[in-house]
Amino acid sequence: MMKFAKTPSTSLGVVTTNDALIVLFCLVFLVRRVKGVLIPCFRSVGRKIGATTHGPTWENNNETRIVKFGEYGFRFVFHLTLSVIGVWYFWEKPWWDQAQGGVKNTFEGYPHHAIDVGMIWYYLIQCAYNVEAMLALLELSFNFEVLSLFSSCGKLQSPLEITWSPTCRGGI
């Protein structure tokens, strides 16, 4: 993955290439790891704030709100960080500055224009966040159980059973 970090190649600009999919998989894994560290930290902060302002009984009765506080804290930090990085990175680009032509530069040479490596990484990180959010939603909505290939009466069955999660609200 490090070979792509400094190369002027735009091979990662097409998400359907093998290189881009491998990098995207690694970024999804990285986002999940960072999320796994930061969400418990934000939950701890939410728990302390709730206990301080509302007392310990509030803390015991509002575990769902504390969990959501951790998730929303992570989302806020992620989007704030990427927004600041995006403004910093894109500030000097010709299609950002009206004096250099502005948005008209966006389609110059389309569809065969070069894509900056930094822009590719920016959008790959955004894509990884969205893929990870979709995986997290699937984990919350469904239970996946691996079964035997054959049922108890010897008939062939699907090796995967998918059911609604008890935490899922609503239905189809």
Side-chain angles (χ1 to χ4, degrees):
M1 189 160 93
M2 292 309 293
K3 77 176 184 175
F4 297 112
K6 297 180 182 176
T7 181
S9 170
T10 59
S11 67
L12 295 179
V14 180
V15 182
T16 56
T17 63
N18 288 339
D19 291 341
L21 290 174
I22 290 169
V23 169
L24 184 62
F25 175 79
C26 293
L27 287 173
V28 168
F29 179 76
L30 182 65
V31 168
R32 286 187 81 96
R33 295 291 298 192
V34 169
K35 187 177 176 181
V37 170
L38 288 182
I39 286 180
C41 293
F42 286 117
R43 283 182 189 166
S44 176
V45 169
R47 190 176 312 281
K48 287 178 185 174
I49 291 171
T52 303
T53 58
H54 300 292
T57 56
W58 181 91
E59 179 184 356
N60 296 334
N61 296 333
N62 290 289
E63 188 62 32
T64 303
R65 288 183 180 180
I66 294 169
V67 169
K68 287 183 180 182
F69 182 85
E71 293 169 358
Y72 294 149
F74 170 75
R75 289 179 190 174
F76 174 75
V77 168
F78 179 86
H79 289 294
L80 178 68
T81 303
L82 247 58
S83 295
V84 169
I85 290 170
V87 168
W88 172 79
Y89 179 77
F90 295 127
W91 192 262
E92 298 293 323
K93 302 301 177 199
W95 34 264
W96 185 281
D97 185 10
Q98 289 296 332
Q100 297 181 38
V103 179
K104 292 178 185 175
N105 292 323
T106 305
F107 297 103
E108 190 174 297
Y110 178 80
H112 303 290
H113 60 287
I115 303 171
D116 291 341
V117 174
M119 186 184 302
I120 293 170
W121 279 100
Y122 180 81
Y123 288 115
L124 276 173
I125 292 170
Q126 289 280 20
C127 185
Y129 173 82
N130 291 328
V131 168
E132 195 285 326
M134 183 182 68
L135 291 174
L137 183 63
L138 287 173
E139 287 175 353
L140 287 173
S141 300
F142 299 103
N143 285 335
F144 299 94
E145 184 179 343
V146 178
L147 304 171
S148 169
L149 194 55
F150 296 99
S151 66
S152 58
C153 60
K155 292 183 180 179
L156 191 63
Q157 68 178 4
S158 171
L160 185 64
E161 180 181 30
I162 303 172
T163 58
W164 287 108
S165 172
T167 60
C168 182
R169 294 181 295 271
I172 296 178

